[in-house]
Amino acid sequence: MKNKYIIIDTETTGFHPYDGDELLQVSIIDTDGNVLFDEYFKPQHRTEWKEAEQVNGISPKMVADAPYINEKAAELYAILSQAHWIIGYNVDFDLNFLVGSDIITSEECNAFRTEDVMIQFAEIYGEYSVYHEDYKWQKLTTAAAYYDYDWAEHEEAHNSLGDCFATLFVYHKILSEE
């Protein structure tokens, strides 16, 4: 089944997909809220990620028995390759980690049609940065709070599945304002 729009989110060991940081969790839902993929991963090289763990709550112990990303690469690729649009909150961050993990190529990444809810929300929130000459990016938790999102309905913030549902909620709110 082809999903015209999918929402993706990841949790990682850090910010640098091409400098050793790795995926810890990947989640994908469709615009109806159906879970298409939700998996934790054991990093292949990192053994600890204290700063990221403080944010996402994913400890080395939590993923000790999880599969490696390459064990689920074909399943992930099948979902991504069927999508017409990929929606995310800072979607380039997530896609760059998929490139860095050899799930997709950089050419495939550049060919995706994407919608970045973070950039859409930045203008709505309206905090302008003179330095960047653009609207300041806000955290997903800020966008969710702005629209009174109830995190209790799904997973908590900084869980990639929970963040997918929050992103979908914010995305629908933004569309309803247009």
Side-chain angles (χ1 to χ4, degrees):
M1 179 176 106
K2 234 175 185 184
N3 291 291
K4 189 169 185 162
Y5 295 88
I6 61 171
I7 295 85
I8 189 167
D9 193 76
T10 62
E11 297 300 331
T12 65
T13 61
F15 296 116
H16 308 287
Y18 306 108
D19 195 24
D21 284 318
E22 299 178 70
L23 288 164
L24 292 172
Q25 185 185 17
V26 176
S27 300
I28 302 172
I29 64 173
D30 65 20
T31 54
D32 293 325
N34 298 307
V35 178
L36 305 177
F37 189 89
D38 182 38
E39 189 76 57
Y40 286 93
F41 296 105
K42 179 179 181 176
Q44 293 179 312
H45 307 288
R46 298 263 183 200
T47 57
E48 59 181 31
W49 44 90
K50 292 179 193 270
E51 286 182 41
E53 184 180 346
Q54 290 175 356
V55 175
N56 61 33
I58 301 172
S59 69
K61 186 176 181 180
M62 282 178 63
V63 296
D65 296 325
Y68 293 112
I69 186 75
N70 60 344
E71 295 175 54
K72 297 287 185 170
E75 186 179 346
L76 257 174
Y77 183 79
I79 295 167
L80 294 167
S81 66
Q82 294 298 306
H84 289 215
W85 288 90
I86 299 177
I87 301 164
Y89 205 91
N90 195 6
V91 70
D92 288 343
F93 177 87
D94 302 313
L95 293 176
N96 281 326
F97 265 93
L98 294 174
V99 171
S101 298
D102 295 325
I103 304 300
I104 55 175
T105 66
S106 57
E107 291 79 19
E108 289 167 324
C109 181
N110 292 332
F112 285 132
R113 290 174 282 185
T114 61
E115 288 200 51
D116 195 327
V117 179
M118 180 180 70
I119 293 170
Q120 293 169 342
F121 178 71
E123 186 173 354
I124 292 166
Y125 195 77
E127 186 178 332
Y128 194 79
S129 168
V130 174
Y131 177 78
H132 292 291
E133 297 181 349
D134 205 351
Y135 291 99
K136 183 179 177 213
W137 296 347
Q138 303 297 321
K139 294 179 180 180
L140 176 57
T141 52
T142 301
Y146 182 88
Y147 290 113
D148 296 321
Y149 178 70
D150 183 3
W151 287 97
E153 283 188 38
H154 299 285
E155 301 289 331
E156 60 191 31
H158 304 297
N159 169 291
S160 65
L161 185 58
D163 288 354
C164 280
F165 283 110
T167 298
L168 177 60
F169 181 85
V170 171
Y171 179 68
H172 282 153
K173 289 293 188 179
I174 290 171
L175 289 179
S176 70
E177 291 178 351
E178 292 181 348

